[in-house]
Amino acid sequence: MPAPIRFGLFLPQGDVPAATLRATAQAAERLGFHSLWVYDHLYDYPSPEQPEVLECLSLLGVLAGWTERIRLGSLVLCDGYRNPALTAKMAATLDVLSDGRLEFGYGAGWHEAETRGYGYDFPSPATRIARMEEGVAIIKALWQGGPATLDGAHHRIRAARCLPRPLQAPHPPITIGGGGEKLLLRAVARHADIWNYFPIPLPQYEHKRAVLHAHCAALG
């Protein structure tokens, strides 16, 4: 039996009153949408004409208080913007306070201008993906409660704890976004429950889906 099609709603994050966001979120819940989603950008997204952007995790926390049932997701949190151990703690808190409604999206990051503008490094795609994979490993380990230790090339933790743990077991669903065929889609196959990719022509999507399936098969 095929997986069900579920509809989520992307919320605006720039130059919009809080009252409008609240009304939109509550209307989406009332109308039966599966989920609300926000992106993790800092400014000039989706274009330089929109310099105002509400921060992702702060907004998700407010949305959790404004709603009761609809699921809440990030498409996708950038590994390079936050220490992954802190991200794990914030996400666990959000899952607990929302009664287990978090959809956890994670990615390697691509917006060079805002990344460098905020003083973060912007290494090569291969390095960003490797760093993201270490971040996912840390987040998953901490979501078990800890103590957890990981000594990676990019991230490290020492006997760290994350209590309370997320309500969802074994953890909130993990979505990884991106389309690089050699490294990124292999990371999706290794770590993610869900794949997110920006809309492209159907033949290109079908090709990338086939590449993803091949990585999944290779990794078992």
Side-chain angles (χ1 to χ4, degrees), residues 40 77 94 112 174 184:
D40 190 25
L77 291 168
L94 183 57
E112 183 174 1
I174 295 174
L184 196 286

Side-chain angles (χ1 to χ4, degrees), residues 84-86 88 137-146 148 157 160-162 165:
L86 178 60
I138 284 174
I139 290 164
K140 284 184 173 180
L142 283 175
W143 280 348
Q144 299 305 308
I157 53 175
R161 299 179 182 273
C162 182
R165 296 170 53 180

Side-chain angles (χ1 to χ4, degrees), residues 129-162:
I129 292 169
R131 186 177 65 184
M132 176 197 72
E133 291 199 73
E134 288 186 6
V136 174
I138 284 174
I139 290 164
K140 284 184 173 180
L142 283 175
W143 280 348
Q144 299 305 308
T149 297
L150 187 147
D151 191 9
H154 308 282
H155 298 304
R156 56 202 59 86
I157 53 175
R158 295 281 185 275
R161 299 179 182 273
C162 182

